[in-house]
Amino acid sequence: MSRFPIMKATFPDPSLNPRQISSHLARHLKWLRARRAGVDLSKEERHWPIEGEESERIRLSLDDMKRVDRHAVRLHDGVLRRTGLSHLNREDRQNLSSLKNGVALARISSLDHADELAARLHGEMPWMAPATEHAWHAMRRSVREGWAGFRMPPVILDGPPGIGKTYWVRRLGALIGTAKVDVDATGENASFGVVGCQRGWSSARPGRVLECIMAKLTGNPIVMIDELEKAGSVKSGRDQSFGLAEALLPLLEPSTAADWSCPYYRVRFDMSFVSWILLTNSLSPLPEPLLSRCMILRLQEIGLPDLISFAQREGQGRGLSETSIWSVTEALSRVAPAAPSRPSLRTVLRMLERAADLENKSVMT
């Protein structure tokens, strides 16, 4: 499989360090002096020291070596400048070296494959149909356009809590076979934890998205940001505001995402294959520039029939006994339609986990 060149920088030949360059230059200078001195050296005979008067005319003095070393450093600096990595220290270049051969991209093999994945996702969570349809169209377009990997336009899933938005994103990533980055917007320090920040801040880091790409060597992870509307912002000493929503803007636009500059490394990356899924319970606090860059899908409450069907399928998938599955579905079916507190998908998952714990406990005793 071909690798995707996500980093817009190159790594120099490891042998092109100042010491090696200096050695090559000194050797070449000795060779030139030997020729001028009339010493006939073939390619295979470039061995020193040379005996006699010629050795004095060929030998490099301490001043010669200082000049050679200075020239070697200048040449090496020029090589680094052309790579786009000259401003980084050795540790940073080492950290980024994992990307020098590119990264893998999860891809959809065919239109039939896209249809199969979408049908499976819809069968598991039919109440999430608008989101599944959005992903399905993205899968099919990835195949039709001949893209190197799967990419999905940024989407906002707006709906009440507890309907399974997070679970749906997790299943989408598992079915496609790509890495996933989970971000709780209420717990992140503005944009810093997601896209990184410049050095000088106490929390300086590359950002979780780039860290995932470097660790998993994948160029199209799915990034899920939960409760985006609750993300705060911080201010610098110059009274500049750094908010998560504003930091996402260049990454949500395909043209700017393809040439995105990491504020930590100050190196450009092609992030156009990253899929962004933003989860909200309310759209009102979000800025218009962010809303205009995303497909907005409004989701409805999950009904009891869907919850019961999900509990049956998930229970079977977890290998629970028929008795345990019946107990969970029976408890759900007894919820009054007009009850003030309705169970959510989160409730069902907890019930299934509890049933599994009880089964394992009975086996152990």
Side-chain angles (χ1 to χ4, degrees):
M1 183 194 306
S2 60
R3 309 286 284 183
F4 175 64
I6 193 168
M7 185 171 62
K8 298 194 171 184
T10 57
F11 283 83
D13 187 334
S15 65
L16 291 178
N17 57 65
R19 179 177 297 180
Q20 291 292 333
I21 295 174
S22 179
S23 176
H24 286 303
L25 291 176
R27 194 172 179 83
H28 184 65
L29 181 55
K30 286 181 179 181
W31 177 252
L32 291 177
R33 288 183 176 181
R35 290 185 60 184
R36 284 197 293 267
V39 179
D40 186 15
L41 296 177
S42 66
K43 213 170 187 181
E44 292 75 28
E45 294 173 333
R46 297 184 186 182
H47 302 293
W48 285 274
I50 298 173
E51 301 297 336
E53 180 183 348
E54 290 86 356
S55 65
E56 294 299 324
R57 301 171 62 184
I58 295 172
R59 182 182 295 117
L60 301 185
S61 67
L62 181 59
D63 287 341
D64 290 333
M65 287 307 303
K66 288 181 178 179
R67 285 194 295 271
V68 167
D69 289 341
R70 288 196 295 269
H71 190 48
V73 169
R74 288 196 296 271
L75 289 174
H76 184 255
D77 288 344
V79 170
L80 286 182
R81 281 195 298 273
R82 288 192 292 274
T83 66
L85 303 174
S86 60
H87 60 285
L88 298 177
N89 59 37
R90 181 178 299 180
E91 181 182 356
D92 287 337
R93 290 199 295 270
Q94 180 63 33
N95 291 337
L96 290 173
S97 65
S98 61
L99 302 178
K100 65 180 179 181
N101 295 321
V103 295
L105 293 175
R107 59 188 301 270
I108 308 300
S109 59
S110 65
L111 293 177
D112 289 341
H113 187 208
D115 296 344
E116 176 187 341
L117 295 181
R120 185 172 173 182
L121 188 57
H122 181 71
E124 294 178 8
M125 306 180 72
W127 65 93
M128 295 290 291
T132 301
E133 183 178 5
H134 179 75
W136 176 48
H137 288 313
M139 294 180 203
R140 292 181 64 89
R141 187 179 179 189
S142 297
V143 176
R144 289 198 313 269
E145 300 289 340
W147 290 336
F150 168 77
R151 65 163 59 135
M152 184 171 68
V155 60
I156 294 176
L157 303 183
D158 180 59
I163 63 173
K165 298 189 292 289
T166 300
Y167 187 88
W168 180 87
V169 177
R170 186 182 304 123
R171 290 297 298 138
L172 175 64
L175 290 172
I176 293 174
T178 190
K180 180 171 166 285
V181 180
D182 293 342
V183 178
D184 180 2
T186 62
E188 295 292 336
N189 186 5
S191 64
F192 296 170
V194 182
V195 301
C197 67
Q198 296 176 351
R199 300 169 195 270
W201 293 78
S202 60
S203 56
R205 59 185 287 190
R208 292 178 57 188
V209 179
L210 187 56
E211 287 174 343
C212 173
I213 290 172
M214 294 167 63
K216 304 292 186 181
L217 294 182
T218 179
N220 58 346
I222 293 177
V223 182
M224 182 199 74
I225 302 180
D226 196 14
E227 296 189 304
L228 178 62
E229 76 278 8
K230 297 180 182 178
S233 61
V234 295
K235 288 190 176 182
S236 68
R238 298 180 180 179
D239 204 34
Q240 292 178 306
S241 179
F242 295 86
L244 177 55
E246 290 77 15
L248 291 176
L249 296 182
L251 289 163
L252 300 179
E253 192 73 44
S255 59
T256 51
D259 195 34
W260 176 75
S261 179
C262 170
Y264 181 81
Y265 286 119
R266 290 181 294 153
V267 173
R268 297 192 174 278
F269 295 86
D270 186 345
M271 307 287 273
S272 61
F273 278 93
V274 177
S275 297
W276 297 87
I277 303 179
L278 315 178
L279 309 185
T280 63
N281 299 322
S282 172
L283 296 176
S284 56
L286 298 180
E288 180 58 32
L290 182 139
L291 296 175
S292 66
R293 286 167 169 80
C294 300
M295 170 70 74
I296 300 174
L297 301 177
R298 291 179 170 83
L299 306 174
Q300 304 301 316
E301 290 274 6
I302 179 174
L304 278 175
D306 283 330
L307 281 175
I308 293 172
S309 298
F310 176 84
Q312 291 172 334
R313 288 191 302 271
E314 186 68 13
Q316 292 169 355
R318 297 185 181 205
L320 294 180
S321 66
E322 290 295 329
T323 302
S324 294
I325 296 174
W326 179 85
S327 299
V328 172
T329 57
E330 181 66 13
L332 291 171
S333 65
R334 290 180 179 274
V335 176
S341 178
R342 301 286 296 276
S344 66
L345 193 73
R346 208 172 283 125
T347 306
V348 174
L349 291 172
R350 283 199 298 266
M351 293 170 69
L352 293 172
E353 290 170 0
R354 177 60 176 163
D357 290 341
L358 291 174
E359 285 193 2
N360 291 331
K361 180 179 179 181
S362 63
V363 170
M364 292 175 63
T365 56

